[in-house]
Amino acid sequence: MRIICFLKAILDPEAPPGAIRFAGKVESGEVATVLGPFEGNALELSVQIAQASAGGFVAVAMGDAAQDIALRKALALGAERAVRVDAPAGFQDPLAVARRLKAAAEEAGGADVYVFGRQAGDWDMGVTAGLFAGLMDLPFAPLVQHAEVVGANLRLRREIAGGYEESLRVAPLVVSVTNGPLTLMRLPKVKDVMLANRKPIDVLQAAAEPSLEIAEIAQAQVTRQGRMITGDAAQQAAGLAAELRRFLVAGGGN
Amino acid sequence: MRIAVLAHLQDVGEAPVREAMGLMAQLGGEAQTLLLAPAAQPAVAAMGEVRLGVHAALADPDPEMAYAAALRLLGDQAPGLLLMPEGPLFEMIGARLAGHFGMSAVRDVDAVELAGEAVVLRKGAYGGKAYVRVRATGGVVAALRAGAFPAAEPPAGSAAEVQLGELPEGGQERKTVRDTAGDDLGRAKVIVSGGRGLGSAEGYESLRPFARMLGASLGASRAAVDEGWASPAQQVGITGRKVAPELYLAIGISGASQHLSGMSGSRLVIAVNRDEHAPIFEAADIGVVADWYQLWPHLQKALEG
Amino acid sequence: MGIPHRVVYWNVPGHAWMYLPFAILVLVFVYGVWRRWRVWALGRRVQLRPWRPRLRRLLSHAGLQTRVVRRPLQGYAHLALAVAFGLLFIGTCVVALKADFGLPVMQGAFYLWFESATLDAAGLAGIVALAVFLIRRYGLRPWALGREPADFLVPFTLLIILITGFVLQSLRIYATHDPWGAYSFVGYGLSRLYADMHLGIPAALIIHRSLWWFHLLLAFSFLGAIPYSKLFHLFMAPVAILLSDPAGATRLETPDLEHAERLGVNMLSDLTVKDLVDLDACTECGRCEEVCPATASGKPLSPKKVILDLREHAHLRPQEPLTATIKDETLFACTTCRACMEACPVDIEHVPKIVGMRRFRVMEEGELPAGLAEAVQGIEERGHPFRGAQASRTTWLEGLPLKEWQPGESCETLLWVGCAGAFDPRAQKVARALAQLLLAMGEDVKVLGRRESCTGDPARRAGQEYLYQMQAEANVKTLTEVAPRRIVTMCPHCLHQLGDEYRAFGADFEVVHHSEYLQQALVTGRLRAAAGGRRITYHDPCYLGRYEGVFAAPREVLRTAGGELVEMAHHGPDSFCCGAGGGWAFREEGPPRVNRLRAKEAVATGAELVATGCPFCLSMLTDGVKAEGGGEVQDIAEILWAQLAPEVVSESGRE
């Protein structure tokens, strides 16, 4: 099977509070750019399908040269080719992104399976895969946990509310991948990393008019003024039990 | 501007649909509610004037079926603003419909206003560390955060059924498994969540009797899901699965920003963690620095006594 | 009476037949050695120059057995046995010189005092030593000693050889009325019994003759078994000691990854000759096992078993990959604390082998335990291993008059805080205390801030050598540009990297651990501290003590500023790991945790305060000591800062 895996590197979601400042724009300071939280799962699924079907995959990212870390990771894990759709860093309209990724997919000769991570973790949109499927007019299987190659088809396990769905799906199709024990990204072999660092990354120009733009970015307040229950384990347990009882008596709970 | 609500009553329940309808009414303009349902149930009747697509297979829809059904319900002309409650239906078809109609899509929306032909939507970003307002000018599908908008009484009227006809089959040999014993985190009043600090699958399992005592649903951090201790459907902290219980207990969860964002709507947050510097304590109302395995026997006794 | 002497081969007509079994013995022996030689020949060559420190080590560790006697009972017994056998060997050579070469060496005073009296004393000492061994192994039954059939047969056979030797001697003295018999005092004593027993001379002659052949064949069998058993350590332990790194193999080898055929160790041929000789040098004494924190905490790793398993692998399936024998849970259980290497009487180097095999698993096969994988990924992506850190590189120094180095500036003292000092909330306090101490000394002190990046030590210890080398090259480049007069660090792992292992990357910096720097300041009077009155115990961090040899400085600081120093059961070079090393700082460890074992020792001293000099030890011990119901755990910098004499503090202002 031919696979195109779409990847995004983002500002470190584990950066400490305040390291990235949001005031009109995103000030990243010294925060590192890392692979998005579900991109490793997407990459792993792509590797698994490519290996099981004796096929191959192409990695595509969009953005500036900071995206290369994602593409290099893909090359180290066996991507045949890495393509970066050139774009400035920062917010992009997801629809325009999907349109440019579509252009990149066509340039790469199309694929049987288009693999996306569930959401990128910067703008927390989680819509690019669906938009892409709509633009390509292809079936879309969201939140895939596992894929098994069955001939020219894929048996997919997808997350659904409260459980999972398994079904055989016909290629070509678009999938988004969620996290789970079956798609933990493997560590690339160091030999492959060394080779990947010497491979070229193709840069592609593709334009699309945005229909969505940022009007405002601001810091959100998430902290609470907590108080601690201290003492030894028995004292802590007693304190916690008292709090829980108070809550239940007050009519909380199911 | 033409505005529509598209929802599947069964997958999110009535309240989010009423919230979407409330927002639609507040925004004004040409409004329409489109519902998908496996049958013309009483719940549908309570929603007033709606366009209703009925098909037995919508009881547990395949994404391809749901997509085809929604397209037939929407017709050729997409509204300028399509509102959908965050939930399984949006996950399956929301963005795809947007792509099909050449609209953009935004998730986790908690405020919407119209500015002439443009729509301004507010949403969380960077795992809840920031929020942004985005201006959409070419039509947009918006997924609404549960609880962010006041619910409205539906307008008087009744459901007009739309013939959906035959729906495509989608996946073959399809089977669905609900593996969380009916735990629905979105609707839970009390959630007990476990994370990597529990150390093992057995450790995670030890939360079960505790949850039972409190009548709580079981949640999990990403680490616990990646370890295979909990089902992915229990994971708290992804866009589209924000929880807002009365009480959220985080056990052995250090508190990655995605997780904190996912539980930030909880009324009371209690955290138990060995590491006093864990970020979870910044997001908790009550904190206990303790090893769960040392705490639990005492707690069990205290709660039973 | 004439010149004192004795007849050799008395009462053994046809003794020349003994050259037949002797020839067999030689063949069996040579074959056994050749079998092992084949394995050593697979290994990579090792650099032996400079010779001098190696020979010194050989003399001390093999000749004087200075490491063996660290355990006095079995140690001195072993030394006695070794000396005894040396003497008996010489005595046998003397017999051969006389019997086979006809040299008149076995007579006169030499015969009486050496060949008779000394050798009897040696034989007696040998019997006592063997009795000690047997009583210890089968009476006291220490858990780290094996009780396989061979473990019994070896000392027992030796014991029989010695005893039969004495019986032969006594029978000869008895039957020949040897006028010089009394010099062979053991044999003489025995011979006196025979008279009381009314043993007839003919019977004595028959017993003597048969026993002579038994004694001879037994001794030959024993010698022939040497290259097939742990007895081979007789020859291989000195070789292993000679080949061992005189610096203690604290610096891991820096391979050329670009041109390596295979990354890391997976075949015997990836090991060095030294590594392979080690396998045959092991005496199975179990001292490594006794001190291993992984073994003590029930993990599937024993340093002894690793060596024995590799030995078996080398002889049974030399062409197969080592992963077939050493499993990941064993490899990655090691904390690289070097206690095993410190304890080993024959200088076997366990840790380099384990890290070598880790390198293969990590770099060639992409295997790394959970937690550790994320830490390593953190170094790659963020330049530090602390997942989810709530700080930046400079958060810890906010509010301190501490300058970040800027390009073009000179630098007197560079404070290298390390990732823990920057990102771990507990260690940040240590960094602050240390920075304030340096400022109070009036030092021109700077930090690198965001230019500092992980030394790569956790990656190297985990086996991710490629990432380590990239970190090392980048840091050496930065530090070369900064060119500080000296680097002070509060992390022993950074100390070991910057000062030691970075030399392979062209680094030559003066690097000191803060304990040494602070102690110097106390001595020269740049810092003055009020005496403390607390009872303190000090935990030696492995990378400060066993790796870098710093034991005294932190204790001096504590004596000056802390109070009464009490030692834990394991301290100094025998210190017990806190459980953080080898990547464990970043892994979830199930009970029993190593830090709890160490904390138990600390609490048992009755100390109010546990001091240490490593941020990882600090973190591990803080958890452990709290769980064990002990007192506070602090870094020496914190203790000193709190006791700093007021007139010094008033100049700089205390927090």
Side-chain angles (χ1 to χ4, degrees), chain C residues 226 356 497 520 575:
Chain C
I226 286 178
Q497 287 304 330
Q520 273 304 310
S575 178

Side-chain angles (χ1 to χ4, degrees), chain B residues 93-160:
Chain B
I93 68 168
R96 186 174 170 195
L97 287 172
H100 176 80
F101 288 113
M103 302 160 79
S104 200
V106 180
R107 289 186 84 147
D108 193 28
V109 171
D110 67 354
V112 180
E113 50 196 290
L114 297 182
E117 280 308 292
V119 186
V120 178
L121 310 110
R122 191 177 75 158
K123 75 176 301 295
Y126 283 89
K129 285 185 219 161
Y131 65 85
V132 292
R133 283 180 202 280
V134 292
R135 180 194 304 276
T137 46
V140 64
V141 179
L144 306 180
R145 189 190 293 179
F149 302 95
E153 273 307 306
S158 60

Side-chain angles (χ1 to χ4, degrees), chain C residues 315-335:
Chain C
H315 291 287
L316 296 185
R317 36 184 191 278
Q319 301 306 327
E320 281 181 37
L322 299 178
T323 43
T325 298
I326 309 290
K327 299 296 171 204
D328 278 2
E329 56 268 30
T330 297
L331 273 189
F332 288 99
C334 175
T335 68

